[in-house]
Amino acid sequence: MSTCTIEQNIIAAILNDNDCLDLIDGQLNENDFSDKRNAFLFKTIIGLVGSGEYIDVITLASILADRYGDRGSKIQPYLAEINQNASTSKHNIAHHAKTIREAAIVRGLQKVADDILAMIDNRDGKDVGELLIESDNLMQSIISGHSDNNIKLYNMNEMQNALITDMQEALKRKGLIGICTGIKRLNLKTNGLQRGTMVIVAGPASMGKTTFAMNLVKRAAETQKYPTVVFSMEMPFLDIIRRYLSSSARVNYQRLLTNNDWDDQESNKFTVGLGRMSSHKLLVCDNATLTTSLIRSTLKRVKREYGGVSCAMIDYVQMIDAIKSQANNRNAELTIISRELKKIAREFGIPFLVLSQLSKDVEKAQRKPTNGDLRESGALAQDADMVLMVHRESKYNPNSENEGLASILITKNRNGECGECVCGFDGSTFTFYDLES
């Protein structure tokens, strides 16, 4: 789709009045132009005006010859043609820019379609899953490119109005800003799990990070309007729902596993818990192999089918596959993965619980963990809005007086306090609970 004539009009209007650039600032770049000559002229003009020079046709023609040699000289006749034939009116320049940008997106989509067809014709042993991932990556390049050229800047008046509206909503809400964690002290420090945030939940092996995260998920699934989505690469869905029921009904997990030795009280708790769970909005994906592209596309599907997403969880980040050729070492791969997960949290406006392993040093020293213990990538702590570390002293010292207690260490919190929250822990039902309730 060629927009050559409109492109010429924009160039002519800018050369006639450099202030026209303010009307289309940020909407276009040289890659949006269908004609390479127009792209070259636009890029040159932007660079010159950006450096403080005032550019008209005569000045630009001189600069092209002086600075760009043969290429500049060859394009001078074309510049003269634009000056003679193109409209210099600035009245429709914003509309022209929008037309050029939309045409560029359509061309991009056509190229992506061609690339996908070529990739299918030359599969080179790739399975369908890999084809889908690479196709999604190609689409994301178009989508992200479209977003980057529509940057919104908020002025003081808009920001003040948004702040007042948010404060009025908080007054009506009379409670937590985010999703309740189920632990009063943790709520006080965090104001709940908040929208658009990436929350790292970490702990050594068998410390209870998955259990704690699933307890948070349970609170979201039973209270929120839209589904909570769990991505579990480590555990099949049957184990997840069995643990979920054990915690919801407060029934010993072994009873559910063996279906033996039930008494009347536990049978009743099982029945009540099962009935209560039926209204919980929970979706589980137990694919053993996931990428950030698949996670994003799955959440888009959920949003489309259910109207929205309330919360998501991934267990665990070190198991996410990187897109091939993105990086040449695992640390760099995890840095990219971390950035993408943060983008997903922002894009969908949800709290995204990202589980992470810790280095072996924590277990060797039998100490409380810190952000520096996050395994393989410091980017996780940098990108996270909140980091929650699970610690149980009784794991290292079975005779400890803290048996049945756990500490949730808030080691990073952009929107509140850091500190330690002590809660109860019942390993037989996979439950972290509030000591004050």
Side-chain angles (χ1 to χ4, degrees), residues 195-245:
R195 293 178 298 174
T197 60
M198 183 170 86
V199 180
I200 300 293
V201 178
S206 303
M207 189 62 77
K209 61 180 177 292
T210 302
T211 298
F212 174 65
M214 282 303 301
N215 283 190
L216 298 178
V217 162
K218 180 161 67 71
R219 292 306 299 243
E222 66 188 358
T223 61
Q224 299 303 300
K225 180 179 179 180
Y226 300 114
T228 291
V229 184
V230 172
F231 297 94
S232 175
M233 291 177 285
E234 191 174 38
M235 197 182 304
F237 81 90
L238 194 57
D239 287 348
I240 291 171
I241 200 62
R242 189 183 288 116
R243 287 184 175 207
Y244 191 94
L245 175 58

Side-chain angles (χ1 to χ4, degrees), residues 311-384:
C311 181
M313 169 188 142
I314 180 79
D315 187 14
Y316 53 88
V317 67
Q318 283 82 8
M319 291 187 73
I320 297 176
D321 284 346
I323 298 166
K324 291 178 181 177
S325 78
Q326 271 196 330
N328 55 13
N329 65 73
R330 188 55 181 163
N331 190 295
E333 287 175 349
L334 275 173
T335 297
I336 295 169
I337 289 168
S338 176
R339 299 284 189 274
E340 287 302 310
L341 294 177
K342 176 66 176 259
K343 289 179 185 177
I344 290 171
R346 290 284 304 274
E347 179 182 339
F348 290 90
I350 58 172
F352 200 160
L353 305 174
V354 178
L355 275 62
S356 174
Q357 290 182 324
L358 295 179
S359 68
K360 298 294 183 183
D361 292 343
V362 179
E363 289 185 273
K364 288 177 183 177
Q366 298 189 354
R367 59 171 171 78
K368 292 180 179 179
T370 66
N371 289 346
D373 296 313
L374 288 168
R375 187 169 170 183
E376 292 182 301
S377 178
L380 292 170
Q382 292 172 16
D383 295 335

Side-chain angles (χ1 to χ4, degrees), residues 408-426:
I408 307 302
L409 310 173
I410 309 171
T411 57
K412 180 181 181 181
N413 187 7
R414 289 193 202 276
N415 301 308
E417 296 179 49
C418 292
E420 180 174 351
C421 301
V422 178
C423 61
F425 174 72
D426 180 6

Side-chain angles (χ1 to χ4, degrees), residues 87-156:
S87 169
T88 59
S89 172
K90 67 178 182 181
H91 296 299
N92 291 320
I93 192 168
H95 176 70
H96 289 335
K98 184 172 182 287
T99 301
I100 292 170
R101 180 63 192 143
E102 289 177 351
I105 292 170
V106 172
R107 288 196 304 274
L109 289 171
Q110 289 172 334
K111 184 178 185 305
V112 165
D114 291 340
D115 289 345
I116 290 173
L117 288 173
M119 183 171 59
I120 292 170
D121 291 338
N122 301 281
R123 292 176 61 170
D124 294 329
K126 295 175 183 173
D127 60 27
V128 172
E130 289 177 303
L131 292 176
L132 286 171
I133 291 169
E134 293 194 23
S135 299
D136 185 62
N137 290 335
L138 290 171
M139 280 299 301
Q140 287 300 324
S141 68
I142 299 294
I143 294 168
S144 61
H146 176 54
S147 300
D148 289 344
N149 284 280
N150 288 275
I151 296 170
K152 170 67 176 173
L153 292 175
Y154 297 94
N155 62 40
M156 181 55 74

